[in-house]
Structures are given as C-alpha cells and as structure tokens.
Amino acid sequence: MNRQLLQQLPKMDVLLAHPAIASAQEELPYYALKEAARTALEELRRGILDGTVEVLPDLDTLAAQTTARARASCRPHLRAVINGTGVVLHTNLGRAPLGEEAARAVYEAARGYSNLEYDIDSGRRGSRFSHIEPLICSLTGAEAALAVNNNAAAVFLMLSALAAGKKVAISRGELVEIGGSFRVPEIMARSGAQLVEVGTTNKTHLSDYRRAIEEQGAEILLKVHTSNFKLIGFTEEVSIADLVALGREKGVPVFHDLGSGALYDDPALGVPEGPTVEESVRAGADVICFSGDKLLGGPQAGIAIGRAPYIQAMKKDQFARVVRIDKLTLAALEATLRTYRDHALAGRSIPTLAMLGARPETLESKARARAEELSARFAGKCVFSAAPDNGEVGGGSLPGVPLPTWVVELSPVSLTVSALEEALRAWETPIVGRVSRNQYLLDVRTLTDADWAEIIRALDMILN
Ligand SMILES: *Cc1c(COP(=O)(O)O)cnc(C)c1O
C-alpha cells in the first residue's frame, strides 16, 4: 500500500472547487458533480489500496473526468441512437419510429388532460376505444376493432376470451416462436385453448383441417403468419380464403394472427409484398390480430378487428384490462391511422413506409453523393465508397423478401474497423452500423440528413 499516494489524494472540496467543475455547474446539477467526484476519488483510493493505481492523475485531468462522469450520469438511459444498419424495423432499436404527426400527438396527450374515457357530447363516461374504432373499421372494412398493448397481448386476449376450453386447429407449420418467449403452443395452453395440430411441418392441406373438424372436433381454425422464418422447398399452406370457406361450410370461426399487418397491398405505401390486413378482411376471417409497430409503422400496440360479437367479448374479458392500451399509444396510433386515409401521404409521412419504399436508384445516388462528400472531407484518413447491398425489413416481417439497398463503406486508414465501430457506438448519440467484408457499413436507407450531420461530427472527432 502506498501511504504517500493516499495522502496526495485531493480532498473532495478541493476537487469540487476546481474551475472546470465550478463552470460545469452552469449545465450540470451540483449533486451529480458531487456524486461523480465522490465516486472518482473512491475509485482512486481503492486502486491505491489494491496496488492498481501507482500514479495519481493531476487535478485538471481528475476534474475533467469528474465532469464527464457527471454528464454521463445525467443523460437519460433510454436515448436516441442513429440506425445505420438499414434494418427498418430493428427490434433492438425500437422497431418503427413514429412520424411527426404521431410524435406530436403523443406530446399533446402527455402534457395535459384529455377525453381519453370521456364523451364530450354527453358529458359522460366514454370508451378509450372510441378514438380509434371507427377509424380502424373504415380503413379495414371490419365490423369492430379494439387495440391493446401489443400484438402478443391481442393474440392472447383473442384466445383466452374466445377459445378457452375449445379445440383450436392450427397447422404444424405455424407452431412458431416469435421473438424471445412467445411460443404459439405455449400461449395457447396458457389461454386455456386446446391445441389440435394439423398437417405436417412443411405441408398442410385443406383436407387436414377438414379432418380436424370432422374427426377431432376442432371448434376454431387458427392461422398464424410465420413472420420470422420462411419455409422453402416442398411446402404447402392453406390460404386464409380457403380456410374461411371451410370454416363457413362447417360453421367454425376462423382466427388469423397476421403479425406484421401491412394494411394494404398498394405500391404507394412502399411495403414489399406480403400478406395484408385487407386480404384477410376480404377473405372474411372472423378475428384478425396485427401489430401496431411493424409494417403499420405506428406505436407498439396490438390491434384486433373482426365480427362485432367476438370483438365485444374480447373487450369485456378480464384480461383486456390487464393489457389495456395507454393514452400516449392511443394518441400515436390514432395519428398514424389517420394518415392512412391518403395512401400517398402515408407512404411519404410514415417513416417505416417511406424507408421501405425508397427506390434503389434513390438509395444509390444518396450513397454515391455521401461517399463523395465524405471522401473530400476526410481525404487521407478514411476511404469511402458506395456499394449495393442486401437489406432486410426486420422485426420478424417479410423474411426472405429481398430488399436491395445501398451502403457507404468506410475503411479507416490509421484505425481498425472495429475501433471505428466502437468509437461511433460510444458517440454522444450512438451510431450503429454494420461491420462486413472488413469494412464499416452505413446503409443509407435508414439514415436521415440530420443523422448524417451527426455522423460527420462524430467522424470529425474520431478520424482527426
Ligand atoms: C410479431 C408477432 C407477434 C407479436 O407481436 P408484438 O406486437 O411484437 O407483440 C405475434 N404474432 C405474430 C405472427 C407476429 O409476427
């Protein structure tokens, strides 16, 4: 133990009186600086005691470290990051970013009272679903609708309210696990529904469902969209339209967990092809569930639409209260859905749709222009080039659907690619890109002009 070093350790009040810390008080609260100073001194003391610290930093350095530590402790833990991965619905980065209108609606709903459950016309209690139900019905053509916390909740609510104690037929090819711990067979068991497995993993025919009804007494047919994987080779699944036709013939309701839920198959909306809510409604499914923050491009929510008696029973179920949608989400969902009344507007102003709909030519010229601009700015420090790449939608949406994209490739001259990746990730607004082919890649699809301005600020610091 170095007694002399311990004695040289500055006193707390000496450190706090340092000009750098005194001036930092203009932007940082005193408690945070004090806490940071205490922790810094404590760490040094422990280091001296266990022999890992043999020289003390000078007071200026210590003050700068303390200020940096205080600043970091005041930063929110959940914060904005720049998504340079090109994955539009990046589950780890918060899935769908909201459009301006939706974000503003959240702000307005957050900062005051609202008519959340108040009927302004009658002055009496109202329903929180009233803000979105007519809108969803008019957009989808469904009889009734409700929204809950997320689609996992919507599916569970559908099963527990409508299928508990009943035999539910589902294809073996659709007994999937969706993101972490949502496994269809287990969710069904928890809801009280009895699983009747139909067909095989790769092929299920309509006759399999017919046998499930006729021979095994299935009372409900359930179709689950296999969102996060794609079967290739010899496969066969039954379309929702054929399933509904069979259901009608046999007097058995058909439920559809659509998962991602693009509303329409309209090129103006920019969504690569896949099953749509419109298609499922047209087929006549009795209840359809889909996510608010996948291809719909809204907030985290689960939407269930379908025949009024079923939706009514779901609204009345005890579990509905457990998975109730909150007012901020409702505000964002209503604003997002309103945009859909004009498809061209939705395609432009809902970020998910705008990013997915970006044309390859546009992405190419963006990538080329950025690479050129950056090459000029950081000549001799980093090599930049534009290149085509394969993107993905993400968020367990449209697996296997190709999404050709363009990236800017970065090859730093006097820095390793992984050091560059780390430094960009550690930036004030963390920048998340991809490392591939021993280069650092930034996909232009998910980057805005404001993002690029921040990336340039970061590169100015890191490369210079
Ligand atoms: C994503 C998904 C879910 C879960 O939806 P969340 O909104 O993430 O809760 C359920 N079913 C399917 C088919 C999905 O794709």
Side-chain angles (χ1 to χ4, degrees):
M1 182 177 79
N2 193 331
R3 212 171 276 283
Q4 204 180 348
L5 216 52
L6 266 188
Q7 279 161 4
Q8 284 168 10
L9 205 57
K11 294 274 168 294
M12 178 87 160
D13 48 356
V14 173
L15 176 56
L16 286 172
H18 188 280
I21 293 188
S23 72
Q25 274 184 60
E26 283 167 24
E27 46 152 344
L28 295 169
Y30 187 63
Y31 73 82
L33 288 160
K34 214 165 124 186
E35 181 63 34
R38 194 196 333 274
T39 318
L41 292 174
E42 185 50 38
E43 275 179 9
L44 282 174
R45 182 171 299 114
R46 252 185 282 124
I48 296 167
L49 291 177
D50 66 20
T52 50
V53 171
E54 290 171 353
V55 241
L56 284 182
D58 61 40
L59 200 59
D60 290 348
T61 308
L62 196 54
Q65 285 170 351
T66 300
T67 316
R69 192 191 283 266
R71 185 168 292 119
S73 80
C74 290
R75 207 163 48 196
H77 196 272
L78 177 66
R79 58 201 167 115
V81 308
I82 291 173
N83 178 8
T85 66
V87 180
V88 176
L89 295 172
H90 198 302
T91 303
N92 301 142
L93 302 183
R95 280 201 198 155
L98 293 180
E100 279 306 315
E101 294 276 310
R104 242 198 313 276
V106 173
Y107 178 76
E108 290 301 327
R111 59 186 299 281
Y113 297 104
S114 61
N115 62 335
L116 179 64
E117 287 188 351
Y118 181 78
D119 181 358
I120 293 170
D121 291 337
S122 69
R124 297 216 182 90
R125 191 199 159 120
S127 157
R128 69 177 59 213
F129 299 125
S130 69
H131 311 291
I132 46 158
E133 186 166 14
L135 191 53
I136 298 175
C137 291
S138 89
L139 288 171
T140 61
E143 264 176 44
L146 87 160
V148 291
N149 181 60
N150 58 10
N151 189 42
V155 172
F156 190 80
L157 176 60
M158 170 178 77
L159 292 171
S160 63
L162 309 174
K166 298 208 166 123
K167 289 185 176 164
V168 179
I170 175 170
S171 163
R172 286 196 169 89
E174 295 172 6
L175 292 174
V176 294
E177 173 178 304
I178 295 143
S181 51
F182 189 84
R183 292 184 153 182
V184 171
E186 284 161 36
I187 288 297
M188 286 182 70
R190 282 286 185 97
S191 71
Q194 289 166 252
L195 174 63
V196 177
E197 296 184 27
V198 174
T200 62
T201 304
N202 61 329
K203 286 197 178 193
T204 302
H205 308 280
L206 194 60
S207 56
D208 295 323
Y209 287 101
R210 183 181 292 279
R211 261 205 311 282
I213 298 170
E214 291 172 356
E215 293 167 21
Q216 291 172 275
E219 300 160 275
I220 290 169
L221 302 179
L222 172 63
K223 185 166 180 64
V224 175
H225 181 56
T226 56
S227 304
N228 51 6
F229 79 104
K230 192 177 177 68
L231 277 177
I232 52 170
F234 290 97
T235 68
E236 191 162 322
E237 67 171 308
V238 176
S239 73
I240 186 69
D242 288 346
L243 216 52
V244 170
L246 176 66
R248 289 283 148 77
E249 180 196 326
K250 293 289 180 185
V252 168
V254 177
F255 298 165
H256 195 186
D257 172 12
L258 194 55
S260 204
L263 275 190
Y264 309 102
D265 179 13
D266 179 347
L269 291 170
V271 179
E273 74 182 81
T276 59
V277 175
E278 181 186 29
E279 186 186 328
S280 186
V281 170
R282 199 170 339 104
D286 295 277
V287 181
I288 305 160
C289 299
F290 53 99
S291 251
D293 58 344
K294 288 184 183 170
L295 290 172
L296 192 75
Q300 179 192 303
I303 300 166
I305 60 174
R307 296 197 186 286
Y310 293 125
I311 299 298
Q312 202 52 35
M314 284 173 71
K315 283 182 185 169
K316 285 209 185 109
D317 192 89
Q318 285 284 327
F319 188 68
R321 177 63 179 77
V322 178
V323 295
R324 171 162 100 170
I325 191 168
D326 78 289
K327 63 181 178 181
L328 306 186
T329 306
L330 262 177
L333 187 57
E334 181 187 350
T336 305
L337 289 168
R338 279 186 183 283
T339 316
Y340 272 97
R341 292 183 297 184
D342 176 344
H343 289 198
L345 175 67
R348 277 197 310 277
S349 64
I350 296 177
T352 300
L353 302 180
M355 288 188 277
L356 286 174
R359 298 157 64 86
E361 311 87 85
T362 313
L363 296 173
E364 174 177 0
S365 64
K366 272 190 188 175
R368 289 193 188 286
R370 288 294 174 195
E372 207 168 297
E373 176 197 356
L374 293 164
S375 296
R377 195 178 176 112
F378 298 104
K381 308 216 163 84
C382 185
V383 178
F384 298 87
S385 48
D389 202 32
N390 299 312
E392 54 175 316
V393 176
S397 302
L398 310 180
V401 172
L403 193 62
T405 192
W406 277 77
V407 295
V408 177
E409 303 167 322
L410 287 75
S411 302
V413 172
S414 54
L415 206 65
T416 64
V417 170
S418 65
L420 176 66
E421 186 276 334
E422 222 168 279
L424 286 169
R425 185 155 42 81
W427 187 246
E428 183 74 25
T429 304
I431 297 160
V432 183
R434 254 179 330 118
V435 173
S436 170
R437 315 185 278 263
N438 200 31
Q439 285 173 316
Y440 183 80
L441 310 183
L442 288 169
D443 190 319
V444 294
R445 185 187 297 276
T446 44
L447 293 169
T448 63
D449 288 344
D451 291 339
W452 279 108
E454 191 63 30
I455 290 167
I456 289 169
R457 261 195 296 281
L459 290 175
D460 266 331
M461 281 291 289
I462 296 163
L463 297 174
N464 288 326

